[in-house]
Amino acid sequence: MNQIQRYIFRRIFLLSIGTLIVTGVLAMTTQILLYVNVMTSTSQSLMTYGELALMLMPKVLIIVMPFALLIGAGQTLGRMNEDSELVVAEAAGAPPRTVGKPLLLIAVGMAFVTLLSNNFVEPYSNHRLRDIVTEARGDLLSSAIQTGTFTKLDDNVYFNVQNVASGGELRGIFISDERDPASNLTYFAKSGRLVRTDETQLLVLSDGQFQTQNTKTGEVSIVRFQSYALDLALFPGGGEGTLYYPKERPTTYLFSPDPNDKAYRDRPDLFTKEINRRFSEWMYPLLVGLVALSFMGRAKSNRAARIQQSILAFLIVLFYRALGFYIEPDAGRSLLFGYLIYGVPLFGIASYAFLVLTGKEIWLPQSWVNVIARIWLRTRRAIGGLFIPGRRRSA
């Protein structure tokens, strides 16, 4: 790369990384909040919180990365256009690759990082995240036994022990499990005891009953028992046999899963979906790089044209990414969606590569531009009236 290409590369890279860090931290904070209830209920250490945040980072950053690239490219090229740097470069005879090469190098680098993260880093972090949450929920079960309070083990799963007698015998056991939309399970027992085996942990209930209620008809069936062994692996954190889902498995395992894997027996389509996601998501940084180059890689003679192209680029990237998220859940069940999860980004890459190579541009209809301009001006006036004294008009 020559000097101006290194200059463009450095500015886009630094702005993209800065945007990625800021937006990634914000998005990661919202993800951490989903686990706050379990973590605080079991008084986990600060080190555990830090590890939890670290394990959430790969997934969040990969989702945010294409938008960070778009913002970094848009800010850099927009400022260069305002400072007439793009105009001077084009007037001096600089070819289109002057802007295209550094931008696409960053896009290719992000695509490579995405591919590596999806197939190596993210499966490990998701696996470790499952272990952290399972351990925390196991502590939550112990806490419920010790305190004798109603404790939420997971969504729609509640556990209560009236007291713990000498010798570790549990008295007055109540368990409510409403995770299945079709039926609700309720367990009552006068006493019980935790029994650990080589493979799992059992709660052996004595002198009790369990009720099964059909949520559609309201019918209730009651089964009384003198002794009943309840596998705590059925409850989050309750047993040692942690159930790992496809997103928590290595890519090699997804291609040849254990036939006895409960997750594979129940939903084999999730394994196909995860494979398709891991090998298609890397294309979105490339698509964003080509969209940014197509709409913002040339000098614009006026501010309105630049704003229009920036808005259009953002809407197109948002459309493609939203379409990808819409297709992803069915990419394992439907052959059509399995093709589309690759076809959508590939079509976008081919389309905008063609526009870049031919020098063609896409413009919004003038009526749309006028509407956007009016909304923009009204928004600026409203914001200015709120924060700048004397700008608000009296009623």
Side-chain angles (χ1 to χ4, degrees):
M1 290 190 293
N2 55 35
Q3 185 174 0
I4 188 172
Q5 287 176 330
R6 289 195 297 271
Y7 168 74
I8 295 172
F9 180 92
R10 183 172 62 253
R11 290 188 63 178
I12 294 178
F13 179 79
L14 292 176
L15 273 171
S16 299
I17 294 299
T19 304
L20 181 63
I21 292 172
V22 173
T23 54
V25 168
L26 292 175
M28 193 165 56
T29 301
T30 62
Q31 292 295 308
I32 291 175
L33 292 175
L34 298 175
Y35 300 94
V36 164
N37 185 42
V38 172
M39 305 301 285
T40 55
S41 298
T42 55
S43 302
Q44 297 297 313
S45 66
L46 186 61
M47 186 70 71
T48 305
Y49 276 96
E51 188 179 6
L52 178 70
L54 188 64
M55 294 302 106
L56 286 169
M57 191 178 297
K59 175 183 176 181
V60 172
L61 293 183
I62 292 304
I63 294 175
V64 173
M65 191 178 291
F67 296 98
L69 174 60
L70 180 64
I71 293 171
Q75 288 290 328
T76 298
L77 299 177
R79 181 59 60 87
M80 290 181 67
N81 189 73
E82 289 180 357
D83 296 341
S84 300
E85 291 174 309
L86 288 180
V87 176
V88 171
E90 290 183 3
R97 66 174 178 271
T98 301
V99 175
K101 185 176 181 179
L103 176 55
L104 292 181
L105 277 176
I106 295 173
V108 169
M110 287 187 171
F112 183 69
V113 169
T114 301
L115 185 62
L116 286 181
S117 178
N118 281 352
N119 288 278
F120 298 99
V121 180
E122 191 177 329
Y124 170 80
S125 65
N126 288 337
H127 191 282
R128 180 57 191 146
L129 180 64
R130 173 68 63 181
D131 289 339
I132 293 172
V133 175
T134 299
E135 290 168 8
R137 284 172 172 161
D139 294 340
L140 191 60
L141 179 60
S142 301
S143 175
I145 294 173
Q146 293 171 5
T147 62
T149 59
F150 278 90
T151 303
K152 182 179 180 181
L153 296 180
D154 195 28
D155 291 338
N156 299 320
V157 180
Y158 295 89
F159 186 89
N160 173 258
V161 175
Q162 190 174 9
N163 59 70
V164 181
S166 59
E169 186 182 29
L170 311 178
R171 301 285 180 82
I173 300 171
F174 170 83
I175 302 173
S176 175
D177 183 0
E178 299 179 358
R179 291 174 296 177
D180 187 352
S183 61
N184 297 332
L185 297 176
T186 306
Y187 299 84
F188 301 95
K190 289 184 178 181
S191 62
R193 185 179 295 274
L194 289 173
V195 177
R196 188 179 298 274
T197 66
D198 293 336
E199 297 181 354
T200 187
Q201 189 175 19
L202 301 175
L203 176 60
V204 180
L205 305 176
S206 301
D207 192 11
Q209 64 182 33
F210 68 84
Q211 301 177 358
T212 305
Q213 181 182 24
N214 189 308
T215 56
K216 293 182 179 179
T217 63
E219 295 179 355
V220 178
S221 63
I222 301 176
V223 177
R224 299 184 182 276
F225 56 82
Q226 289 300 316
S227 180
Y228 184 85
L230 186 62
D231 188 354
L232 292 182
L234 298 174
F235 301 96
E240 296 178 348
T242 304
L243 177 63
Y244 294 104
Y245 292 94
K247 65 180 181 179
E248 296 146 7
R249 294 291 194 179
T251 301
T252 52
Y253 183 87
L254 297 181
F255 282 103
S256 56
D258 182 357
N260 297 320
D261 188 334
K262 186 177 185 303
Y264 181 69
R265 292 200 313 267
D266 294 345
R267 293 291 302 276
D269 59 288
L270 293 181
F271 284 71
T272 305
K273 185 207 80 170
E274 183 64 18
I275 291 172
N276 290 332
R277 184 192 69 82
R278 292 185 186 183
F279 287 97
S280 64
E281 202 167 27
W282 64 271
M283 291 185 278
Y284 285 99
L286 287 179
L287 172 60
V288 171
L290 288 167
V291 170
L293 184 60
S294 175
F295 285 96
M296 296 176 281
R298 298 180 181 85
K300 301 294 186 296
S301 58
N302 59 77
R303 184 181 179 87
R306 184 178 65 82
I307 292 174
Q308 178 194 154
Q309 294 293 83
S310 299
I311 293 174
L312 191 55
F314 177 79
L315 292 176
I316 288 173
V317 169
L318 189 63
F319 168 77
Y320 272 99
R321 202 64 192 96
L323 187 58
F325 284 131
Y326 173 77
I327 292 170
E328 182 184 316
D330 292 320
R333 290 195 298 261
S334 167
L335 185 61
L336 174 62
F337 279 71
Y339 285 124
L340 285 177
I341 199 171
Y342 298 97
V344 166
L346 282 174
F347 176 79
I349 290 171
S351 300
Y352 290 98
F354 172 79
L355 293 176
V356 168
L357 293 174
T358 58
K360 297 182 182 295
E361 291 184 308
I362 298 176
W363 294 87
L364 288 172
Q366 189 59 41
S367 59
W368 293 21
V369 175
N370 294 337
V371 171
I372 293 173
R374 285 197 297 269
I375 294 173
W376 173 252
L377 288 174
R378 289 175 182 174
T379 304
R380 289 191 60 184
R381 287 172 184 168
I383 295 174
L386 288 173
F387 295 101
I388 301 177
R391 290 287 298 276
R392 295 183 65 177
R393 293 184 298 179
S394 57

